Amino acid sequence: MPEKYIAITNKLEIELKQMRANGITKLPSETELAAKYACSRQTIRASLNILMNKGLIEKRKGSGSYLTEESTQNRVVFFVAEDCDRYLNPELIAGLRSELRSKFELKTFSTYGNYKEEGEIIRKAIEEKASALVIDPSRDLIPGINDRLIMSAVNNRIPVIYINSNASPEGVLTVAPDYEDMAKKAIGILNNQDKKSTACIFRMDSSSGMRGYKGFIDEFADEKLFDDRKCLLLTYKDEKEIIDGDTAVLSSFAEDIIRDTECIICGNGIVAYQLVNVLGKKGISVPEDISVLCFDNGYFRNKGNAQIISAGYDETILCKKLAKTITALSSGTDIGSTVLPFQLF
């Protein structure tokens, strides 16, 4: 069982949060706290010393104990994604929480693709004066109804950071992989393997998709080699339907290109996984007949699906860069956006 002063310290930390929320900055006197917690003033003094060493309170001679400026700041970081429990997000969240644990509390919110839900979360971050707002946007190349709310957060001095995005509103930083560079490297790798007849599947309403597509087409030095028939550009709705199991669009695309295609590059790992199933039903073996490469951070490959060539980024680096950006911005330090390198798995 912990020493009594440790237990009281933990209770006082909770009380400090409530005081902060209520706009109260001065703590009760040592005598009042001793009576409240049924202990000696010496025990209270030991607890207050711990809080002071943590930088949460300060003692003013002849006046008492007060919340410090740091303790009056909200140390909560909001993390917003379409689904925090799905795909790669649980690993990312666990890594980020570990990086932030000494300074911040991480709260996660899922929007499920609902703009109204996203708006409510952003409003909540503004009301609670969050230390930072991290958003993994689902559609960052088209105007969103919540763009004004995001700007309101920025204007309220709440740092807003987009992840996995190469496009953001003014005042919003990004921490994202270099999708354009990876697409170029992928073409080079496949060309070295004599996989010269290449198709692609990318999102047209996300910056990651369009950067990947740009890198793809930039590698065709001779425009005569480029065949737009082999480029499938999806909307958010198209991609979601494929992920949920409706593969009609994939099936039609594959039927048109399989006769003269050696490799297909996918911007999304689950789309790549569904594509492999579609090709299998058409009697096409992966990777023997057609290679499939995806930008997937190794998820399916690490799950035992060696059919798919997987490219990604070091998630540990992403978490460290994101935590560094949050810490710098919350303390008022200017810091630029971060681009992460890709690697093959």
Side-chain angles (χ1 to χ4, degrees), residues 266-280:
C266 296
N268 180 283
I270 302 181
V271 171
Y273 178 78
Q274 297 285 35
L275 176 64
V276 170
N277 293 333
V278 166
L279 292 172

Side-chain angles (χ1 to χ4, degrees), residues 198-204 209-210 212-213 216 230-234 238-239 242 249-251 253-254 257 263-269 271-272 274-276 292-295:
T198 307
C200 70
I201 303 174
F202 288 110
R203 278 270 304 282
M204 69 171 71
M210 285 295 90
Y213 181 56
F216 176 84
K230 293 187 177 183
C231 302
L232 177 60
L233 300 179
L234 304 171
D238 294 332
E239 185 178 84
I242 292 170
V249 171
L250 278 187
S251 183
F253 177 65
I257 67 166
C263 179
I264 304 174
I265 297 177
C266 296
N268 180 283
V271 171
Q274 297 285 35
L275 176 64
V276 170
V292 175
L293 183 148
C294 71
F295 303 162

Side-chain angles (χ1 to χ4, degrees), residues 133 147 150-162 167-174 325 329 334-337:
L133 175 59
D147 287 356
I150 291 171
M151 292 312 302
S152 177
V154 172
N155 292 335
N156 277 276
R157 301 177 66 185
I158 296 174
V160 182
I161 306 163
Y162 275 15
S168 64
E170 185 179 354
V172 175
L173 293 185
T174 62
T325 302
L329 292 176
D334 290 333
I335 189 169
S337 293

Side-chain angles (χ1 to χ4, degrees), residues 5 10 22 40 52 62 76 80 113 140 146 154 158 161 182 192 204 215 283 314 338:
Y5 75 93
N10 294 336
N22 293 335
S40 67
M52 186 170 63
V76 175
V80 185
D140 58 356
N146 293 322
V154 172
I158 296 174
I161 306 163
M182 188 58 237
N192 288 337
M204 69 171 71
D314 189 327
T338 301

Side-chain angles (χ1 to χ4, degrees), residues 83-343:
D83 190 341
C84 292
D85 297 322
R86 188 175 184 181
Y87 201 32
L88 298 171
N89 282 329
E91 289 85 355
L92 171 60
I93 290 168
L96 181 58
R97 180 170 281 123
S98 177
E99 289 293 330
L100 294 173
R101 67 181 180 275
S102 63
K103 295 183 178 180
F104 300 95
E105 175 188 355
L106 186 67
K107 287 186 177 181
T108 61
F109 302 87
S110 298
T111 66
Y112 304 106
N114 187 307
Y115 278 126
K116 183 177 180 181
E117 184 69 25
E118 181 184 67
E120 290 302 317
I121 296 166
I122 297 171
R123 287 190 186 91
K124 185 177 178 67
I126 295 171
E127 290 170 2
E128 295 188 11
K129 298 180 180 177
S131 285
L133 175 59
V134 180
I135 301 176
D136 187 353
S138 56
R139 289 153 284 191
D140 58 356
L141 284 187
I142 58 176
I145 193 66
N146 293 322
D147 287 356
R148 283 170 293 182
L149 277 175
I150 291 171
M151 292 312 302
S152 177
V154 172
N155 292 335
N156 277 276
R157 301 177 66 185
I158 296 174
V160 182
I161 306 163
Y162 275 15
I163 61 170
N164 294 321
S165 169
N166 297 118
S168 64
E170 185 179 354
V172 175
L173 293 185
T174 62
V175 177
D178 191 339
Y179 291 96
E180 184 175 338
D181 182 61
M182 188 58 237
K184 292 179 179 180
K185 288 179 178 176
I187 294 292
I189 291 166
L190 296 167
N191 283 343
N192 288 337
Q193 297 177 356
D194 292 326
K195 302 281 187 179
K196 297 184 184 300
S197 180
T198 307
C200 70
I201 303 174
F202 288 110
R203 278 270 304 282
M204 69 171 71
D205 52 4
S206 77
S207 62
S208 59
M210 285 295 90
R211 285 293 181 94
Y213 181 56
K214 184 179 186 304
F216 176 84
I217 61 178
D218 281 353
E219 283 305 285
F220 287 90
D222 184 348
E223 65 274 8
K224 293 179 181 178
L225 297 176
F226 177 72
D227 185 354
D228 61 358
R229 177 179 60 91
K230 293 187 177 183
C231 302
L232 177 60
L233 300 179
L234 304 171
T235 65
Y236 168 81
K237 183 174 180 291
D238 294 332
E239 185 178 84
K240 194 170 188 309
E241 287 175 351
I242 292 170
I243 290 172
D244 290 340
D246 183 350
T247 57
V249 171
L250 278 187
S251 183
S252 177
F253 177 65
E255 191 66 38
D256 288 340
I257 67 166
I258 55 177
R259 293 171 186 81
D260 58 351
T261 298
E262 296 172 279
C263 179
I264 304 174
I265 297 177
C266 296
N268 180 283
I270 302 181
V271 171
Y273 178 78
Q274 297 285 35
L275 176 64
V276 170
N277 293 333
V278 166
L279 292 172
K281 292 176 182 178
K282 296 180 183 298
I284 304 298
S285 179
V286 177
E288 290 78 11
D289 299 322
I290 292 181
S291 295
V292 175
L293 183 148
C294 71
F295 303 162
D296 181 60
N297 237 29
Y299 181 84
F300 283 108
R301 187 171 179 81
N302 292 342
K303 295 295 183 182
N305 190 332
Q307 293 172 291
I308 301 172
I309 303 169
S310 182
Y313 51 85
D314 189 327
E315 200 167 85
T316 302
I317 294 177
L318 171 63
C319 292
K320 288 183 180 298
K321 291 288 187 182
L322 191 52
K324 182 179 179 180
T325 302
I326 291 168
T327 302
L329 292 176
S330 67
S331 65
T333 303
D334 290 333
I335 189 169
S337 293
T338 301
V339 178
L340 304 175
F342 263 106
Q343 61 189 30

